[in-house]
Amino acid sequence: DVIEPALNPIVLLFTAAVSMLTGVLSGIVPAIRASAASPNMVLKSGDRAAPATPGGRFRAGLVALQIALAVVLGTCGLLMLRSLVNRQQVDLGFEPRGGVRAEIALAPERYADPATINTGAESIVQTLQRQSGVVAAGASTWALPTPAGAQRQLSVPAADGTVLPRSISRAVDAVTPDFFAALGVPLRTGRTFTEADKHGGAAVAIINEELAQRLWPGASPLGQSLRLG
């Protein structure tokens, strides 16, 4: 998905016109009331306090309400601006600039078995890699689908079956060798997948730093065994 936000001149002009029209309509009634008052009477009554009337109290209440709403809107606007600034400084763990993401659904009548699905996915990735301007291309899919709300259990056999708490969310995906290169995700230690890590090869996995710290605190996860389910 490519998202390129830009100002739309038509929408901008429409918004400006609505804003000006709202200001004009809001000021018509007070202007008509002010034009009906006699200047001499206004000047003569300027040195004495006007008696409180129900209409005056109502207008004063509206002014107070407008000020309160303006303060709330201004505060919310500042908080939203601050959130946007903070979001720009968050380390996402990958490089989104220059990347394009797309979701592909293979037709079940054409891709009916796992071998055909794998061949089709590899063909798509290889075609993308041959395109000019493409640095890397990769694909991912759910490796071990689970029912809604369910989670795969992760445990360490060498540590007396230490289990990752269920309160920690987890996901297991199957990816192609250049998936992390396409995302711009740096590899901290170990190696990425290769073509040898396909069906029939050794069972290997790439995990993130948080999982490594949870299951092997203070130790290297390289060469360790992880059990799924």
Side-chain angles (χ1 to χ4, degrees):
D1 301 330
V2 181
I3 301 177
E4 297 180 354
L7 289 177
N8 189 314
I10 298 178
V11 175
L12 188 61
L13 290 176
F14 176 77
T15 304
V18 171
S19 301
M20 290 187 290
L21 182 61
T22 301
V24 171
L25 293 178
S26 300
I28 285 179
V29 175
I32 294 176
R33 292 174 61 90
S35 63
S38 174
N40 292 330
M41 295 299 297
V42 174
L43 293 175
K44 290 180 180 179
S45 62
D47 58 346
R48 61 177 182 271
T53 61
R57 288 193 294 268
F58 178 72
R59 287 193 295 272
L62 286 179
V63 171
L65 179 61
Q66 289 177 344
I67 294 175
L69 292 177
V71 171
V72 173
L73 290 176
T75 303
C76 292
L78 290 176
L79 291 175
M80 184 182 69
L81 182 61
R82 182 177 179 182
S83 299
L84 290 175
V85 173
N86 292 338
R87 186 174 182 180
Q88 296 296 325
Q89 300 174 351
V90 173
D91 183 9
L92 300 177
F94 63 94
E95 180 53 64
R97 290 175 295 186
V100 178
R101 175 181 177 271
E103 294 187 3
I104 300 176
L106 301 178
E109 61 274 7
R110 182 177 177 182
Y111 300 91
D113 57 273
T116 307
I117 293 175
N118 290 335
T119 302
E122 291 175 357
S123 176
I124 294 174
V125 172
Q126 292 172 2
T127 301
L128 291 174
Q129 291 173 338
R130 290 193 295 267
Q131 301 298 316
S132 61
V134 174
V135 178
S140 70
T141 186
W142 286 357
L144 301 172
T146 56
Q151 290 184 333
R152 286 280 176 176
Q153 179 174 290
L154 301 180
S155 60
V156 182
D160 298 329
T162 300
V163 178
L164 184 70
R166 293 191 176 275
S167 58
I168 301 176
S169 62
R170 74 291 307 270
V172 182
D173 294 333
V175 303
T176 57
D178 286 341
F179 176 78
F180 296 105
L183 277 183
V185 176
L187 188 67
R188 299 302 185 189
T189 185
R191 66 173 179 84
T192 58
F193 294 132
T194 67
E195 294 296 331
D197 297 321
K198 290 186 176 181
H199 299 289
V204 293
I206 298 176
I207 63 175
N208 61 8
E209 289 181 293
E210 182 177 358
L211 181 60
Q213 295 172 2
R214 292 277 187 175
L215 296 181
W216 299 281
S220 173
L222 294 181
Q224 302 287 352
S225 296
L226 179 66
R227 179 183 290 125
L228 301 178

